[in-house]
Amino acid sequence: MFVVPFDVERIVFDLDGTLVDSAPDLHRATNHVLTSVGRPEIPIEAVRHMVGEGARRLIEKGLMHTGGINGFDLDALLPTFLDFYKDNLCIESRLYDGTLEMLDALDARGIKSAVCTNKPLHLAEPLLEALGIRQRFIAVTGGDSFPFRKPDPRHLTETLALMGGTGRAVMVGDTVSDTAAARAAGIPSILVSYGYLNGNLADLDADAIVDSLVDIPGILRG
């Protein structure tokens, strides 16, 4: 396991599947789109493994799961998803166990925290507000904050620039978008084992894997 040196100053978190279990509400929005075009609903466990690449991709995966795209215009369906999800953003979404304890421990050590998510910013910010943790992050960037997004490393490096400072940074996430962005940006990555990845965690070549967010402060000790 990689052990990050003492000079860690900044830590960047993915949102869905890392800090927040948002799958129940994303599941509801996905099924809203599917039923609007005459497709059957899909189970929540299927949606858990579709999250991480943005709403448009989630719609595409939902259509593929229920019979294929078949000429559907994904861009035309996107507002149906986003409007419903915006109005039902935090019905069942919740913080993963240990989130607050971890953030308290990081704050106590003077480590700055930020969020870098592929969720649109106009949805990420209200979700963090609804869960009571927006103020814990010095910066939040979404999939529409720049002309690029994870796994493009610039999404991560621009988030770090907004945080300020030049000290060592680390990325925490749950999918290949997070580890690939970190690797290309030249910083270590930590994977959570409970996230939305549909595959083998070991294949992502993260520097560390944790089963709980409360394990992270301990990993950051040299």
Side-chain angles (χ1 to χ4, degrees), residues 131-172:
L131 293 167
I133 60 170
R134 172 59 187 89
Q135 74 281 6
R136 308 298 293 267
F137 304 103
I138 195 169
V140 177
T141 64
D144 55 354
S145 294
F146 310 105
F148 38 78
R149 64 181 186 178
K150 297 179 300 182
D152 191 311
R154 293 175 294 174
H155 192 178
L156 178 52
T157 55
E158 290 294 332
T159 304
L160 290 169
L162 290 173
M163 297 176 75
T166 58
R168 187 68 175 269
V170 62
M171 174 79 204
V172 180

Side-chain angles (χ1 to χ4, degrees), residues 44-215:
I44 188 170
E45 287 309 314
V47 172
R48 286 188 187 278
H49 299 306
M50 297 177 180
V51 177
E53 299 177 81
R56 187 181 186 279
R57 181 70 171 135
L58 182 53
I59 296 168
E60 181 181 11
K61 290 179 179 179
L63 289 171
M64 292 299 296
H65 190 84
T66 56
I69 298 177
N70 294 340
F72 284 112
D73 185 341
L74 297 177
D75 292 326
L77 291 175
L78 190 57
T80 302
F81 180 100
L82 294 176
D83 289 344
F84 182 90
Y85 185 53
K86 180 183 65 176
D87 294 336
N88 299 273
L89 186 63
C90 197
I91 305 300
E92 294 182 71
S93 294
R94 63 175 184 85
L95 296 174
Y96 283 110
D97 292 343
T99 300
L100 296 178
E101 294 88 337
M102 174 201 64
L103 291 173
D104 286 342
L106 296 175
D107 286 345
R109 294 171 57 185
I111 298 174
K112 298 176 182 178
S113 300
V115 169
C116 177
T117 173
N118 282 343
K119 184 188 289 292
L121 190 61
H122 73 276
L123 297 174
E125 293 262 21
L127 179 57
L128 290 167
E129 292 281 3
L131 293 167
I133 60 170
R134 172 59 187 89
Q135 74 281 6
R136 308 298 293 267
F137 304 103
I138 195 169
V140 177
T141 64
D144 55 354
S145 294
F146 310 105
F148 38 78
R149 64 181 186 178
K150 297 179 300 182
D152 191 311
R154 293 175 294 174
H155 192 178
L156 178 52
T157 55
E158 290 294 332
T159 304
L160 290 169
L162 290 173
M163 297 176 75
T166 58
R168 187 68 175 269
V170 62
M171 174 79 204
V172 180
D174 68 315
T175 70
V176 65
S177 293
D178 305 308
T179 56
R183 188 178 305 110
I187 70 171
S189 61
I190 300 172
L191 272 180
V192 296
S193 63
Y194 53 77
Y196 298 154
L197 176 68
N198 185 17
N200 189 343
L201 287 169
D203 292 340
L204 272 59
D205 196 27
D207 296 289
I209 298 173
V210 296
D211 295 324
S212 171
L213 290 170
V214 296
D215 297 332

